[in-house]
Amino acid sequence: MNKVPPQREYFLDSIRAWLMLLGIPFHISLIYSSHTWHVNSIEPSWWLTLFNDFIHSFRMQVFFVISGYFSYMLFLRYPLKKWWKVRVERVGIPMLTAIPLLTLPQFIMLQYVKGKTESWESLSLYDKYNTLVWELISHLWFLLVLVVLTTVSIVVFRWLRRRQTRARKRFFEHVTLGQLTWLFLAFGVLYGAIRRTIFIVYAPILSDGLFNFAVMQTLFYVPFFVIGAQAFINPRLKALFTTPSPWCLVGAVLGFIAYRLNQQYGSGDAWMYETESVITMVLGLWMVNVVFAFGHRLLNFQSARVTYFVNASLFIYLVHHPLTLFYGAWITPYITSNTLGFLAGLVFVIGCALILYEIHLRIPLLRFLFSGKPLRQPEKAQVSAS
């Protein structure tokens, strides 16, 4: 256990907040994209479809690298049981809070928007359960994955810490971006092989919401979570990510083109999802370099405004989804321009989310439920004798 806090990584805090807040333009652009969602505009927009695919192709991979980095930092700071408790509370309590307060009302609203209230009774018991899992957790899936990864990391992080004490050559102290590319390509192929095997053996399990979130999503993001922890352990690996690489930039552009072509011409009945896993695994690695290098150069400073959005990012992400669906269901139909609708949606959702955030700050119970952080007792005023 190390009680000395490391130097604050302002650029990583900022990147994590921006990645979280990118969920707002991602979901609003989803309304106007060619992808089928809960609510869609009458005519899709090609540029908003492209914009939506761009965000989706890399955002969560980079997010989980940062999560792994900070998770290992806290792992070294706290005893094991306290570390697990702190990490699970920080993500588990907001997730459990959001289900009854946000995603359940959102689900009920969508039943009326889509006119499916009458068909609910005709569903089997399992279909009702599975529908509720998909609808109530889909917006919160990354929090569930973080709970699973934190639990799995009890073993993984202890193994990594033991490796640190061994005086021998370690792979990540001498690795290159080229070697990492081949490694993540292998991870992508392995994940695709696992998914294809499950599809052949028992395909219906892939449609189970809880299995998809807790198992498949966790399997995909494990390499990014672990490489984030390795970046904290090995300064050279961290420097590799924060140093701009023209090859990673070119690779990211080509990777996104491949991702978009797979989205356009791939078929879910064929190898579309397996191909996507290979592309996004490698693309995510390259974008870690692009985003970290960009953020380290432009965002590595302390600012009260940045700190505000860092603290607000999780709450804003949680509430923006029902706000976006409300906007898409009842306001979008009255705006004929997709671009204008997208911009108006940003103003509406961000404005409402900030108002709700300020309200929740003034209610201690809500502050605890949406942050997972224990409420601090007011400090007693100290009276000094003069």
Side-chain angles (χ1 to χ4, degrees):
M1 182 178 66
N2 181 12
K3 295 184 179 181
V4 180
Q7 184 178 359
R8 189 74 177 180
E9 302 285 6
Y10 294 110
F11 78 102
L12 289 179
D13 276 336
S14 297
I15 292 172
R16 181 172 55 179
W18 277 109
L19 292 173
M20 194 81 73
L21 295 175
L22 270 179
I24 300 176
F26 169 74
H27 284 113
I28 296 177
S29 63
L30 196 54
I31 298 174
Y32 299 99
S33 72
S34 60
H35 303 299
T36 302
W37 200 41
H38 299 292
V39 288
N40 287 106
S41 59
I42 298 176
E43 294 291 335
S45 166
W46 70 267
W47 81 266
L48 286 172
T49 300
L50 195 68
F51 176 72
N52 181 268
D53 283 340
F54 173 69
I55 295 176
H56 190 256
S57 66
F58 75 92
R59 182 170 70 103
M60 296 312 298
Q61 296 95 304
V62 180
F63 174 85
F64 275 100
V65 172
I66 298 175
S67 296
Y69 184 95
F70 285 124
S71 291
Y72 196 82
M73 176 193 297
L74 294 176
F75 176 76
L76 297 181
R77 185 182 304 177
Y78 296 122
L80 182 62
K81 291 183 179 179
K82 183 177 180 180
W83 169 78
W84 183 86
K85 181 177 181 291
V86 168
R87 291 299 298 163
V88 170
E89 285 179 347
R90 294 283 175 88
V91 296
I93 292 176
M95 180 184 70
L96 294 176
T97 299
I99 290 175
L101 296 185
L102 298 175
T103 57
L104 180 58
Q106 169 187 290
F107 169 70
I108 296 172
M109 177 189 74
L110 288 175
Q111 293 299 297
Y112 285 96
V113 169
K114 295 182 176 181
K116 292 184 177 182
T117 53
E118 297 179 358
S119 62
W120 174 257
E121 294 299 328
S122 63
L123 296 177
S124 67
L125 185 62
Y126 172 76
D127 287 337
K128 288 180 180 179
Y129 151 79
N130 198 34
T131 299
L132 286 174
V133 170
W134 278 105
E135 297 294 338
L136 301 187
I137 301 181
S138 60
H139 173 49
L140 313 171
W141 68 269
F142 74 99
L143 295 175
L144 176 59
V145 170
L146 282 175
V147 171
V148 177
L149 284 174
T150 299
T151 304
V152 172
S153 294
I154 293 176
V155 176
V156 176
F157 283 4
R158 291 175 69 180
W159 177 74
L160 290 177
R161 184 166 59 183
R162 285 197 300 268
R163 283 179 57 86
Q164 283 185 270
T165 62
R166 298 175 184 173
R168 65 174 185 173
K169 181 179 179 180
R170 290 184 286 270
F171 174 74
F172 288 104
E173 292 182 351
H174 305 277
V175 72
T176 65
L177 286 172
Q179 292 172 328
L180 284 177
T181 297
W182 285 109
L183 182 62
F184 273 71
L185 178 64
F187 287 146
V189 172
L190 177 61
Y191 177 86
I194 293 173
R195 188 190 184 281
R196 177 54 56 167
T197 301
I198 295 173
F199 179 79
I200 294 172
V201 174
Y202 187 63
I205 194 66
L206 294 173
S207 299
D208 185 90
L210 190 57
F211 180 82
N212 177 75
F213 298 133
V215 178
M216 298 306 293
Q217 295 283 24
T218 300
L219 282 176
F220 182 82
Y221 289 106
V222 160
F224 294 99
F225 193 79
V226 174
I227 201 70
Q230 289 286 0
F232 181 84
I233 295 170
N234 298 290
R236 185 185 177 281
L237 180 60
K238 179 182 174 183
L240 204 63
F241 286 144
T242 56
T243 303
S245 169
W247 291 110
C248 281
L249 181 60
V250 172
V253 172
L254 296 177
F256 175 68
I257 292 173
Y259 173 84
R260 188 67 192 91
L261 291 174
N262 187 56
Q263 290 286 312
Q264 184 74 27
Y265 300 107
S267 171
D269 296 328
W271 292 79
M272 174 183 173
Y273 297 112
E274 288 79 10
T275 304
E276 180 180 312
S277 69
V278 176
I279 294 172
T280 52
M281 189 71 74
V282 178
L283 174 59
L285 173 70
W286 290 334
M287 284 301 295
V288 169
N289 174 267
V290 173
V291 174
F292 275 32
F294 177 83
H296 188 261
R297 181 175 181 179
L298 299 180
L299 302 175
N300 199 23
F301 59 89
Q302 185 177 11
S303 165
R305 185 174 301 177
V306 171
T307 301
Y308 175 86
F309 281 101
V310 168
N311 295 330
S313 59
L314 177 59
F315 179 89
I316 292 176
Y317 179 85
L318 292 176
V319 302
H320 92 274
H321 200 262
L323 289 172
T324 300
L325 291 172
F326 177 88
Y327 176 83
W330 282 294
I331 301 178
T332 293
Y334 297 99
I335 303 177
T336 56
S337 169
N338 286 340
T339 301
L340 179 60
F342 172 73
L343 296 176
L346 288 177
V347 174
F348 174 82
V349 173
I350 294 175
C352 291
L354 287 174
I355 292 173
L356 292 174
Y357 176 69
E358 288 296 329
I359 293 174
H360 115 285
L361 286 179
R362 289 156 176 79
I363 305 175
L365 179 60
L366 288 180
R367 290 182 62 181
F368 165 70
L369 291 176
F370 280 100
S371 69
K373 299 179 181 179
L375 299 176
R376 294 182 179 178
Q377 298 295 330
E379 297 181 359
K380 297 180 180 179
Q382 296 180 354
V383 181
S384 57
S386 58

